[in-house]
Amino acid sequence: MTPQLARLALALSLGLGLLADGLLRGGEWRAGFALWILAALAVAWIVTARVQDEADPGATRERRLLFGVAGALALSLVLRDAETLYAVDGFAFVVTLWLIAWRAHGRPLTALEPRDAIIGVASAAAAAVAGAPTLAVRATAPGAIDDTDRRSLRGFGIGAVIAAPVLLLVTGLLASADPLFAGFLENVGAFLEARFFDHVLMILLATWLSAGALRGAVLPVGVGPTMFRREFRLPFAAFAPLLGGLALLLSAWIGLQVRTLFGGAEYVAETAGVTVAEYARQGFFELIVISGIVLAALLVADDVIDRGAEAARSNFRRLGTVLI
């Protein structure tokens, strides 16, 4: 992908972000979503049509076939109001997106194997998370990133994909275990629900996903066709989102405990609506699960982080010490 094409993709992605903010807020979400998907596929058609792959002449034809299938699945949402249809159609649509991301590796659809589903899922997720920044880098400073930084950026994108569900689970468990923390999250949510921030978040999210999808449809992002068939030796950046996110979440929770310690029974009663005894007894099992998650994250990171890179091991030891 040339810098000129990357800049075009970024501009079109911003347009898709603005379009999503207008279409996905209406009362009839199905029609808005279908129109937005069709617009996104049209943009992807424009971008991929500018990429000529002489070594893989069937790439353009198969990509367009997958685009057509994705468009038909999006349109089928407006045919009938049925939850079963939504489930089947949504699953088929996600599988099609995985195939588009997998096809960017250069293998034809006839060579698809069951284990390639992992590569397709990882490629689509990596493109959604890290495709936008890599596209921006290619558009602004092509060739300026060395191999070490590129490896770290790729690892950060993959790590963010892994970290997101774990951080959401820990956040939910902390909120369930501690009504004070739940109230803190509600206050944060109320702030983010302001209309201005709501529009900005929608535009940024849609733009980010669009840019990542366009990047992933042309070139894979951080995932190779043999990545899940070899031993992992990842940089520290691959686990920085997960370990750093856990450290921030637990630090915020501990900070609330300190405030509770000095606030006394009246503070607990006013903020959580329970007595100190009730507050102390709840949340035990949630905290046990959180401890297991933290332990598992540390063990997995210790196993797959590149042991030959002293900086990665040192960073892991420091952050691991904070978590413990």
Side-chain angles (χ1 to χ4, degrees), residues 246-285:
L246 286 172
L248 288 175
L249 274 174
L250 295 176
S251 297
W253 178 69
I254 290 175
L256 287 177
Q257 306 312 303
V258 174
R259 185 176 180 183
T260 301
L261 177 64
F262 290 99
E266 294 182 358
Y267 174 78
V268 174
E270 291 176 359
T271 56
V274 296
T275 65
V276 173
E278 293 172 335
Y279 179 74
R281 284 196 297 267
Q282 62 181 314
F284 174 79
F285 291 102

Side-chain angles (χ1 to χ4, degrees), residues 167 174 181 241-254 319 322-323:
L167 296 178
L174 287 175
F181 191 75
L242 174 59
L243 300 181
L246 286 172
L248 288 175
L249 274 174
L250 295 176
S251 297
W253 178 69
I254 290 175
L319 190 53
V322 172
L323 274 175

